[in-house]
Amino acid sequence: MTGIAEQPTEASHPPEVTLDEVVALCKRRGFIFQSSEIYGGLASTYDYGHYGVQLKNNVKAEWWRAVVQERDDMVALDAAILMHPRTWEASGHLEGFTDPMVDCRTCKLRFRADKLEDSACGRKPSVHPGEHSECDLTEPRQFNLMFETFMGPVRDDAARVYLRPETAQGIFVNFKNVLQFARKKPPFGIAQVGKAFRNEITPGNFIFRTREFEMMEIEYFVRGEDADRWHQQWMEDRMRWHTDLGIRPDHLRLRKHGPDELSHYSSATSDIEYLFPMGWSELEGIANRGDYDLSRHAEFSGEKLEYYDQDKGEAFVPHVIEPSLGADRSLLAFLVDAYDTEEVEGRKRTVLRLHPRLAPVKAAVLPLVSKAGMPERAREIYEQLRARFPAEFDEGGSIGRRYRRQDEIGTPWGITVDGQTMEDGTVTLRDRDSLEQVRVPADDLAERLGAKLAEPWLSPKLG
Ligand code: ATP
């Protein structure tokens, strides 16, 4: 593999932002709220407000662009959350989608036995149960992470269905449908974005681990003999996606799963990890699922799930490479990586240095004063811009306060309309990161900013 460090590269500097700071900004600026807040909140469940929705939509749009629009070998799918219950027998989830759970008899809390270091236990049980004198942990029990519910009015076993814990199975059960209509042959992939649900034992760290979340998954079908090569290729492609969108390379690393960590379906998995404020943690998993899923569904459904190669006159069951990324977790990584503070003219400035294509709002048009035709002219400019991309018009309060607000939501460009605009048609264009201000004609602003949005971008935190 070229260009990617397989071994951890320790970041040259420690995490410079705390999770609390990110949470506070998300709340202050209406990105993300606690779910059901007026009732005291529902644990580890979150709602997205205006800027959060736009940011998450942009994350998903960039994913679709990279994995479907800009490739010839991918098609899209949107499968239902509820699936025939046999799906989960075939996939092995009913039996094997479990985490080991332990209870602490002292503090009465419950933990994942394999993630004790993440525990919220005040007495902090050691990674080796029993070592810590104050903690009295039970033996691990396997706990199935699937949420179950009942379809229709009768609550019996025949009506039991599950909220999908991954979107992947919707892809596997549609393999035949897609093959029939997509005119693709291996290597080719199916991409899907959708909600998934896991009854996590210890959710937490804000939107990092929740029980309801969105996944962006690819199942990429290849010949068995090509699977290792494609696994490597997808690790490179997916690493590049994160860095192209501005994540600093020294805050990303690849980590190979040990044999005891592998999921029940996986023959090899590598995680892309990000240096979150709580330390290196999984951002995206890239698994080689072998032919496990298609073979199992063929066995359980009685359908042939294989590809018939006309040229060679032979049928084979493709192997699958699966890059799987949580949209919410990805958004958190972008927020953490973008969060910055600096002192400007004696005042602290908080700024989200987001890639312009991810920024919820691309440009804010601000009349310098609320008189002399400036608000009207500013509004005209704003209406031209918003036809091309999300823009805001803000005429309230001091210019400094308005800029601070835009900096905190990561708006890359600020446009002020002043007395000179009314004379010569130029506006001031302010860059969020360099704070440079230049005068440019208002007429070609949309063109100019549209071109900037298409340019490659590097985090200013790098230099
Ligand atoms: P972990 O070991 O941390 O529980 P996992 O290996 O079970 O994670 P995968 O099944 O590989 O996770 O899930 C693929 C991706 O989906 C993860 O890399 C992450 O981005 C996202 N994801 C998984 N579980 C959650 C969750 N509970 N909340 C938010 N995102 C999640």
Side-chain angles (χ1 to χ4, degrees), residues 133-153:
S133 58
E134 285 177 283
C135 271
D136 182 10
L137 299 176
T138 60
E139 281 298 305
R141 286 166 292 150
Q142 290 302 324
F143 173 75
N144 195 298
L145 301 183
M146 284 203 293
F147 275 93
E148 56 181 56
T149 185
F150 298 91
M151 211 155 165

Side-chain angles (χ1 to χ4, degrees), residues 93 97 99 112 114-115 118 145 165-166 196-200 202-204 206-217 255 257 261 263 265 269-272 276 281-287 289 322-330:
H93 280 79
F97 193 60
D99 276 336
R112 246 174 88 168
D114 59 335
K115 297 249 168 173
D118 295 346
L145 301 183
E166 58 175 27
F197 302 82
R198 295 182 182 182
N199 205 358
E200 298 279 3
T202 43
F206 193 36
I207 54 170
F208 177 82
R209 189 186 302 285
T210 50
R211 294 188 170 115
E212 172 181 348
F213 56 97
E214 248 179 310
M215 286 181 114
M216 307 190 283
E217 290 197 302
R255 192 183 67 81
H257 279 209
E261 275 182 280
S263 316
Y265 50 72
T269 294
S270 286
D271 289 342
I272 295 179
F276 285 97
S281 312
E282 173 175 342
L283 174 59
E284 171 162 8
I286 302 166
R289 295 176 79 126
E322 176 196 71
S324 171
L325 171 64
D328 314 82
R329 200 175 281 188
S330 175

